[in-house]
Amino acid sequence: DMTFGELAARFLAEAGPKPHHIDRLKILLPFFADVPVAHINRAIARDYRAYRHEHKKTLSDTTVNSDLEVLRHLLFWAVDEGYLAANSLSRMPMVRERRKPRPVIPQDEEARLLSHAAPHLQRLIISALDTGMRRGELLAQRWEHIDFTRRLLFVTHSKTAGGESREIPLTTRLYELLSATRQEEGLVFLFKGRPLRRIKTGWAAAIRRAGIRYYRFHDLRHTFNTRLMEAGVMQEIRKALMGHSSGEDVHSIYTHVELPAKREAIRKLEAWVDTQREMNARKEKENADDRPPITNQCDPKPVVSEG
């Protein structure tokens, strides 16, 4: 007779939920709170999907899939705790998600964004571009887990188990940036001495002041991955640096890549960025040289004598 609302309360109190679970439960509970857990099945899950799309037309299937994955996770927990005999959603297929093109930030727009971002946001942007870390991972990063002697960052907290404590070699730019404000302990990214919780307002303001198209903060992570790919870094190494699964299944074993391969990947990234920067500067110079000289339209015409 336990309702989903009662199950959610026990899960929050006993299971050590992650922020992702809490966020999704805020959306799931208005629909499922009074539904007996034993009555949750695929038909109700389909009704929920239709309900979500009906009340928010622009909602993507990816978002609803995320809701239902958390719902399924709670039912698995209920089985483990002995509240349910079986999880009726264990083999429920998710709606196939449409792949959308992911924007990559060009270097000229990166420079404009950095020049118009607040100092605390500049540090976050550079760190995301040079490590591929998620926003939540960056905001939870601690000084104790940065080895300046070996120039390594160990991810303090990740949304995925495989991403926890992964090692990322520091680029020269990021090493110098972090060294300038190095501390013995505590959170790396602060605002006026206090932990950063939200960056949405500052991010939107920086985009607006820079006069560039809108990017999500998560697009910095995709830019890091794309630049590694352009630099010739193999997929397995990119996944290891970013904390991705080694296979299509999110529960598969995470890729183990030796540290020297990761260091070489970051070296390739820095070399690629430098090469692109030089090429862009050369193009700008060539375009400037090709422009016709500007003449003063107000100059008097020369007087030509007759005869």
Side-chain angles (χ1 to χ4, degrees), residues 15 36 42 65 100 102 123 130 137 151 157-158 161 174 184 211 217-218 223 248 252 285 290 304 306:
R42 294 190 187 188
N65 284 351
K100 298 179 180 179
R102 297 177 179 176
R123 299 174 71 240
D130 287 11
E137 292 173 342
R151 296 196 175 201
H157 178 78
S158 176
L174 185 54
E184 292 300 319
F217 188 86
H218 193 76
T223 298
E248 296 297 325
S252 61
K285 185 177 183 304
D290 291 341
V304 179
E306 296 180 1

Side-chain angles (χ1 to χ4, degrees), residues 10-18 21 77:
R10 296 192 185 194
F11 175 81
L12 292 172
E14 303 170 11
K18 294 185 177 181
H21 297 141
W77 183 79

Side-chain angles (χ1 to χ4, degrees), residues 14 18 27 95 121-122 134 142 146 158 176 186 257 265-266 272 292 295:
E14 303 170 11
K18 294 185 177 181
I27 299 171
V95 172
L121 193 55
Q122 286 179 355
R134 302 175 177 90
R142 301 186 64 84
I146 300 177
S158 176
E176 293 174 351
V257 174
I266 296 300
W272 182 88
T295 58

Side-chain angles (χ1 to χ4, degrees), residues 148-297:
F148 285 93
T149 302
R150 299 171 64 206
R151 296 196 175 201
L152 283 176
L153 181 150
F154 297 89
V155 177
T156 302
H157 178 78
S158 176
K159 68 178 288 187
T160 59
E164 200 88 9
S165 298
R166 71 182 185 274
E167 54 190 9
I168 305 174
L170 299 175
T171 63
T172 300
R173 174 171 73 162
L174 185 54
Y175 172 79
E176 293 174 351
L177 175 72
L178 296 176
S179 296
T181 57
R182 180 176 176 178
Q183 303 290 328
E184 292 300 319
E185 61 182 17
L187 293 173
V188 175
F189 300 102
L190 304 171
F191 178 64
K192 295 182 179 180
R194 303 181 66 178
L196 267 169
R197 301 299 182 193
R198 294 182 177 275
I199 62 170
K200 186 176 181 179
T201 301
W203 174 259
I207 292 282
R208 184 179 63 254
R209 290 193 296 265
I212 60 178
R213 59 165 289 184
Y214 185 80
Y215 295 96
R216 302 172 305 159
F217 188 86
H218 193 76
D219 292 329
L220 302 177
R221 176 173 163 85
H222 180 62
T223 298
F224 171 78
N225 182 48
T226 302
R227 289 178 178 179
L228 286 173
M229 181 176 61
E230 295 281 356
V233 177
M234 300 296 291
Q235 184 183 46
E236 290 75 12
I237 301 174
R238 300 200 310 271
K239 285 183 175 181
L241 286 168
M242 299 178 69
H244 274 169
S245 169
S246 61
E248 296 297 325
D249 181 9
V250 296
H251 300 295
S252 61
I253 299 174
Y254 277 68
T255 307
H256 178 73
V257 174
E258 297 293 340
L259 179 58
K262 294 181 179 180
R263 291 193 186 278
E264 176 63 13
I266 296 300
R267 186 199 66 75
K268 287 182 177 180
L269 172 67
E270 292 186 286
W272 182 88
V273 169
D274 289 342
T275 300
Q276 294 299 310
R277 187 177 293 117
E278 291 172 2
M279 290 174 58
N280 292 336
R282 193 180 306 121
K283 287 180 180 179
E284 289 181 7
K285 185 177 183 304
E286 291 173 354
N287 292 336
D289 293 341
D290 291 341
R291 295 191 190 102
I294 300 175
T295 58
N296 190 342
Q297 300 296 328

